[in-house]
Amino acid sequence: MLHVGVLVSGRGSNLQALLDAQATPEFPARVVLVGCNRADAPAIGRAEAADVPVCLADRAAMPRRATRQAVLLQALQAAHVDMVVLAGYDEILDDAFVAAFKGRMVNTHPSLLPAFGATMHAVDEALAHGVKVTGCTVHLVTDDLDNGPIVAQRCVEVRDDDDVESLHARIRDAEHRLLPLVVRAFAENRVRIEGKRARVVAS
Ligand code: GRF
């Protein structure tokens, strides 16, 4: 059983997708800890409803980013997580954090990277650019922001009448399907990382 730590900052719908996946007994991974940097994040309620412990390193209570990350790192290590998932976590992680989970930490990003990377406004920018297809990317986290090896992607069509909300809702739907597949692949040791590239092999 793969033990997963999930970092969140907001709504937590991707966290929910993992919690729903693990409600199926044959799912080979379990979220054992949720780390959060905002006390008002709805994601906290989702973790609590699933009886998953939460480590809160609140931005207001702990204004120094380094302090927050040290607290979260310690909690993840104490929980012996095998893997970390960034699911809507809104901070850049420092080098020590990234190094601690090298090859074992993924992020879900709401665009087809490398397009619209390194921004908190990927969906707005894709829409403003007039792209006809966008999507989501799950990639390994390295110290090169949003540029680590791509593990998996899904396409989402942009409709003429889309606004940011409607487009992001469909991208989220795609993320909710993709993220559990990626976590399962890690649990089944089916992710191969070869330099700048990653791939998922069949079981
Ligand atoms: C997702 O679209 C993710 O790609 C982006 O932020 C959003 C988080 O959504 N980084 P949620 O908190 O999981 O609902």
Side-chain angles (χ1 to χ4, degrees):
M1 186 63 71
L2 187 85
H3 287 180
V4 182
V6 182
L7 296 190
V8 294
S9 300
R11 176 193 308 230
S13 65
N14 282 287
L15 166 65
Q16 189 67 54
L18 293 177
L19 295 173
D20 291 348
Q22 72 185 33
T24 322
E26 46 83 41
F27 193 71
R30 289 287 173 276
V31 179
V32 295
L33 184 75
V34 169
C36 183
N37 62 350
R38 291 180 188 270
D40 59 354
I44 293 174
R46 297 179 188 268
E48 286 171 352
D51 281 330
V52 177
V54 176
C55 173
L56 180 62
D58 183 32
R59 296 172 78 113
M62 289 177 207
R64 282 190 66 240
R65 191 173 69 132
T67 310
R68 294 194 295 276
Q69 292 190 12
V71 167
L72 291 173
L73 178 57
Q74 201 180 20
L76 290 164
Q77 287 174 332
H80 301 291
V81 304
D82 302 304
M83 176 185 187
V84 175
V85 175
L86 307 184
Y89 189 67
D90 65 2
E91 278 183 27
I92 295 172
L93 294 165
D94 58 37
D95 290 353
F97 202 113
V98 171
F101 296 107
K102 187 169 188 280
R104 303 187 291 141
M105 179 155 64
V106 297
N107 176 48
T108 178
H109 185 84
S111 74
L112 291 175
L113 290 172
F116 311 111
T119 172
M120 297 294 287
H121 308 287
V123 181
D124 313 49
E125 289 178 23
L127 204 54
H129 201 94
V131 298
K132 308 305 176 215
V133 176
T134 182
C136 59
T137 301
V138 179
H139 65 93
L140 283 148
V141 178
T142 64
D143 51 15
D144 193 359
L145 185 63
D146 287 342
N147 210 15
I150 291 170
V151 180
Q153 294 182 306
R154 288 293 182 271
C155 295
V156 173
E157 192 182 345
V158 182
R159 297 177 186 156
D160 287 343
D161 60 353
D162 263 329
D163 57 19
V164 173
E165 212 164 291
S166 64
L167 180 56
H168 201 164
R170 291 206 309 290
I171 292 172
R172 273 200 175 89
D173 286 346
E175 291 182 290
H176 299 164
R177 290 190 294 272
L178 186 59
L179 198 50
L181 293 179
V182 169
V183 170
R184 175 187 282 276
F186 270 91
E188 294 173 349
N189 204 17
R190 290 189 289 110
V191 179
R192 304 281 178 272
I193 304 167
E194 290 144 4
K196 281 286 292 167
R197 298 177 63 180
R199 64 196 169 94
V200 177
V201 298
S203 46

